[in-house]
Structures are given as structure tokens and as C-alpha cells.
Amino acid sequence: MSIDSLRRSARATVSGLPGGFWWLWLSTLVNRTGAFVLTFLSLYLTQELGHSAWFAGLVVALHGLGGVAGSPLGGYLTDRWGRRPTMVSMHLAAATCALLLAFVTSAWGIATVVLLMGVAMQGVRPSINASIADMVPAHEVRRAYALNYWALNLGFAIAAIGGGAAIVLGYRTLFLVDATATALCALIVFLRLPETRPEAKVDQATGETVAEEKVGVLTVLRDAPFRTLVLLNLLVCVVFTAPWIGLPLTMAGEGLAPSAYGVVIAVNGVVIVAFQLLVNKVTDKRSPAMLLTVSSLLFALGTGATALAGTSLAFAATVVVWTIGEMVHVPTNAAATARLAPEHARGRYQGVMGMSWAVAGFVAPIGAGWIVDGPGPDVLWIACAVIGVVAAVGYQTRLRSALAEAEEDVPAPVVADTARPAEEKVSSSASPSGS
């Protein structure tokens, strides 16, 4: 493939999206570039403050528990208060928590701050996802989510490398940098991102505002196709989360050094940063049900094969397989959520979907640790494979028609101005947007 064809392919991948999206994309990159807290929190608690590994695990679980509450809260505020103010307030709350962690040293204080940080960090996601769905043409939504996810992982990779190098300055310095980056992210959103919440509909005959149906968490869960999507996503999230606890324990059981795990798990970020745009190109215009099915099978294959691995290279290969599943699943699931959600309730639908990620983030680490200590790691990986296959069957048998109908409702693309490269759109509208 020539340089010109590569350039055209890259331009096609990022072109045609509004300038507001690129400000949101930039804020995501800035935010994640400074995301040091969760990466180094367990080391800070055990090595710097002398707490036990059990306490460190509990604190990380509290972050996930905070997300269970933060996601529906963020969804409610997104629809009632607005996308932009919800993003700004949640980012500032997360920045404040990172700042407090640099100075709070008591066990109860740290646990409380991390719990609140979980609320804030998960609470911002519904507003980001809803804002993307508001700004981006419906036929481009999945690509936009994929690009934003790429920015998140690019920022995280930079944070992991930079944080590891800068740790000589002390953990508190890293937390201060995290607080600064998150506050800068809030500033970008405040200054450059327009409010995208849809305006209330007006009756053309009377000129009066049409009252929208009130939507709460229970209302969202009564939407059968969406409820199925949430439950199947929960299964996939459990499989996705298990390796982050089970893999280092499994590798240690095979006699591999902790440094070997660091190299193996880094493959996840490297693959996403290097190949997310290519995966976007390959999966573009594919059926959502098919993509979700394939991604679930990749999760099942990658995690299941971990039971057969015994060397660092073999473990790295399994990570590559489920990472490809991750690259396909995350943007497709977010786009499916946006398409199933009523326009006036996008925040609450995204909030309920976010709960499935938060619940998995709380339950899966505990379950994975228990299984490894009890029945053994092979049981964990076989269970993950079975769960992944069950999710794949569910997507095909329970959601294929509903997602196909949602795709049919997507307006046909309008040919106008979409050929302009993203950088031109950024400059003409003011520039990018992130989270």
C-alpha cells in the first residue's frame, strides 16, 4: 500500500465529523494523559502508606462501587441539567478528589475520596456519550465513539509511560498532575464545547412546548431490547474485567515475574493505539449485532485460551485476541445504546448502560480473585469462555432484529461538506472536544 493510499485511508477515517466532536476528543486525550490515580493507587497505598494489599484491593473496588451510583446520576443530570454543565462539574469533582488524595493519608479518608472519585469519573461518561450522539450524524456515530475510545487509550498509554518515569518525583506529584489535567479538561469543555442537549419539541399548531415522557432508571429498564443489551454487555464486561485481576495471578502461578505481566498487559494498550483506526475501517457499515457477536466470541477465545498459555509470548497472544474484541465491542455497544435511546433520554440510557460497566468493575475483580484462590485459574478462564459464548448467542438470538430495526431508522447520509478533512472542520468551527 502506497503512502498516498495510507494518507487517504487515514483522512477518510477522521474526516466528516463536526468541530465540536474534536474538542470533545481533545478533552478526552488531555484528561486521560494525566490519569495517574488508578494506575498507581495500589502501589501508593501499599508501598508509600504501608497499607495491606487487601485494603488496596478494597479501595479499588470502592472506586467501582462509586461508579454504580455515578453512572445513573450522571445520566439524569445530562438530560435534566445539560451535557456541558454535567461534564464540567463532574470533571472538576474528579480533579478535586485527585487533589485531596495528594494530602489525605487516613484509611477512611482515602476510601471516601476514592469512592467519590468513582462517582465523578463514571458520572461524566453519560454526558460525553450523549453529546457525541447529539453532534455527530447518526450514520457516523459508531466511528465517532471508536475515535473517542482511541483517544482515551492513547492518553492512558502516555499516562502509564509518563507516570512510570515520573514516579521518582513521588506519588503525590502524580496526583497533582492528574488534578491539573482533569481541571484543564473541564476548562476545554467550558470554553469550547457547545451545549448539545436537544431543545424541547414545540407543537406547530399551538406553539406550546410538548411535554416529553418522564424517564427514570426503571422506565429505561422496561425497554426490553435495551434491557437485553445492558444485560449482555454486563456479561461481556465481566469477561473483559477478569483478566486485569486473574491474569497477573495466573502468570505468577506459572512462575513468571511481575515484570513479565507488565509487558504482557501493555500489549492491550499498544494494540488499541496502533490498530483502532484500522479496525474502524474494517468494521465500518457492518451489522451491529454481527459485530457484537464477533467481539463476544473474541473475548471468549482470548480469555479461554489463557488456560492453555504457559509463556509470556502465549499470554501476550491471548491479550491480542481479546483486545481486538474490545476494539470492536466498545464503540459498537455505545452506538447501539445511542440508537435505542429516545433523543430526550440519551443521558439516562447511557447512564444505565454505564452501570453495567461499573457493576462488572466491582464484581469481577472479587469473583476472579476468589476463583483463582479456590477452584483455580483454569476454572476462571473456562468460565470466561462460556460467558463470552453465551453473550454471543444472546446478541444473535435476542437482539439481531431490534438492532437491525434501529439501523433502518438511521437517516441516510447527506452528501455535503463531509469530504472536508477533520482538521479543516476543526479550524472552521474553532477546534476539538474531549472528556
Side-chain angles (χ1 to χ4, degrees), residues 107-281:
W108 281 105
I110 290 172
T112 302
V113 171
V114 171
L115 177 67
L116 294 175
M117 178 175 276
V119 173
M121 290 181 67
Q122 192 67 33
V124 77
R125 293 182 181 178
S127 58
I128 294 170
N129 287 342
S131 187
I132 291 174
D134 295 336
M135 289 188 292
V136 176
H139 64 283
E140 299 283 16
V141 163
R142 199 196 69 80
R143 179 164 66 97
Y145 284 128
L147 287 169
N148 202 60
Y149 191 65
W150 180 61
L152 186 150
N153 281 279
L154 178 60
F156 183 79
I158 295 171
I161 296 171
I167 205 168
V168 294
L169 300 175
Y171 291 101
R172 289 180 174 83
T173 301
L174 296 183
F175 297 159
L176 292 174
V177 172
D178 192 328
T180 302
T182 308
L184 178 58
C185 172
L187 185 63
I188 292 172
V189 172
F190 179 75
L191 294 177
R192 309 304 294 180
L193 189 67
E195 176 55 56
T196 63
R197 182 177 57 170
E199 296 181 0
K201 295 180 180 178
V202 176
D203 190 312
Q204 297 298 322
T206 65
E208 296 180 355
T209 301
V210 178
E212 300 282 7
E213 177 189 0
K214 291 185 177 180
V215 179
V217 172
L218 294 180
T219 309
V220 174
L221 291 176
R222 283 196 289 268
D223 183 335
F226 181 69
R227 181 176 66 241
T228 302
L229 185 68
V230 171
L231 292 175
L232 292 175
N233 186 66
L234 176 60
L235 294 181
V236 174
C237 289
V238 168
V239 177
F240 170 64
T241 307
W244 298 92
I245 300 299
L247 186 57
L249 298 176
T250 301
M251 292 180 66
E254 293 291 335
L256 298 173
S259 58
Y261 168 71
V263 173
V264 167
I265 203 60
V267 170
N268 173 259
V270 170
V271 170
I272 292 175
V273 171
F275 297 107
Q276 181 73 68
L277 299 184
L278 176 61
V279 169
N280 295 354
K281 190 72 175 176

Side-chain angles (χ1 to χ4, degrees), residues 43 53 58 69 73-74 81 126 158 162 165 195 237 251 267 295 300 311 329 333 352 376 379 381 403 420:
L43 292 175
L58 175 62
L73 172 63
W81 193 13
I158 295 171
E195 176 55 56
C237 289
M251 292 180 66
V267 170
S295 65
T311 66
H329 179 87
N333 182 74
V352 171
V379 174
W381 304 121
L403 292 179
R420 293 168 59 194

